[in-house]
Amino acid sequence: MKNVEKSTMVYVNNISTGSQTGTAININAEGFYYFDELVWVKLSSGNTNPNFFYMPSIVLPTVPSDSRVIDTTNESYTFDKDTSVYTVKLHDLYEAQFTTPVIASSATASLSQIVLKANNYDYFVTYADNTVFTDIKVDDNGIHTYKVTSNAIIRNGSFMNIVLKVR
């Protein structure tokens, strides 16, 4: 379908003749779908999976000398020495992990179809060690910023829980 209006709803009764590409990337079963301006989104019914999940595990930099923030080719992690703010592009890291898994159960298995664009998620920090992290922020594109308390003692319990929710 071309030139589809946002919020258009359809019922897909046969997926054998279509392909899961472009705006149809999420159409994987019969059912109701609505168009969100980017892709068709399946309406859930009954007992379905939740529309949120924890961010895959990542290690957040806590010192300016962290190899990820001094590597100028790594744009997913930065540190601003003037403001002492660390910036982590959560969506970049999420996408990298989900599109290149270490191993899959079959050669044709893929996770890439579940990775939506950065602005299709709401981002939440649901826990942060407040003895280490301050000035925590996250925007609509998954750009996460924070400061590390001066003289912070970094421990195994020094972490953040980050949740992504599909809009």
Side-chain angles (χ1 to χ4, degrees):
M1 295 173 65
K2 303 280 185 197
N3 302 318
V4 178
E5 292 289 326
K6 180 180 179 179
S7 79
T8 299
M9 188 164 39
V10 298
Y11 184 83
V12 175
N13 63 2
N14 184 344
I15 62 168
S16 65
T17 59
S19 62
Q20 268 187 279
T21 60
T23 60
I25 193 118
N26 298 325
I27 300 177
N28 60 1
E30 289 184 13
F32 283 102
Y33 292 81
Y34 70 92
F35 193 67
D36 73 355
E37 288 188 299
L38 298 173
V39 295
W40 289 97
V41 179
K42 185 168 179 48
L43 287 175
S44 59
S45 63
N47 191 9
T48 61
N49 293 327
N51 64 348
F52 70 93
F53 51 93
Y54 281 98
M55 174 79 186
S57 297
I58 58 170
V59 177
L60 296 172
T62 54
V63 293
S65 60
D66 186 295
S67 62
R68 292 164 296 174
V69 296
I70 61 174
D71 177 0
T72 57
T73 63
N74 185 348
E75 296 179 3
S76 296
Y77 298 94
T78 59
F79 176 74
D80 184 322
K81 65 180 188 280
D82 295 328
T83 62
S84 299
V85 171
Y86 293 86
T87 300
V88 178
K89 294 182 177 178
L90 297 174
H91 187 266
D92 287 0
L93 301 172
Y94 158 66
E95 184 174 38
Q97 284 192 30
F98 270 76
T99 56
T100 56
V102 173
I103 193 161
S105 60
S106 75
T108 59
S110 173
L111 289 170
S112 61
Q113 72 273 11
I114 66 170
V115 177
L116 302 174
K117 293 185 184 224
N119 62 358
N120 283 340
Y121 300 100
D122 289 319
Y123 300 83
F124 303 89
V125 176
T126 60
Y127 171 82
D129 182 342
N130 62 8
T131 66
V132 175
F133 303 105
T134 63
D135 298 326
I136 301 166
K137 298 178 178 115
V138 63
D139 73 11
D140 288 343
N141 288 302
I143 306 299
H144 177 46
T145 60
Y146 59 93
K147 291 183 178 182
V148 174
T149 306
S150 62
N151 301 320
I153 298 171
I154 312 300
R155 306 178 297 278
N156 286 342
S158 300
F159 62 90
M160 288 187 207
N161 284 338
I162 300 168
V163 173
L164 281 66
K165 177 181 162 266
V166 179
R167 289 187 179 171

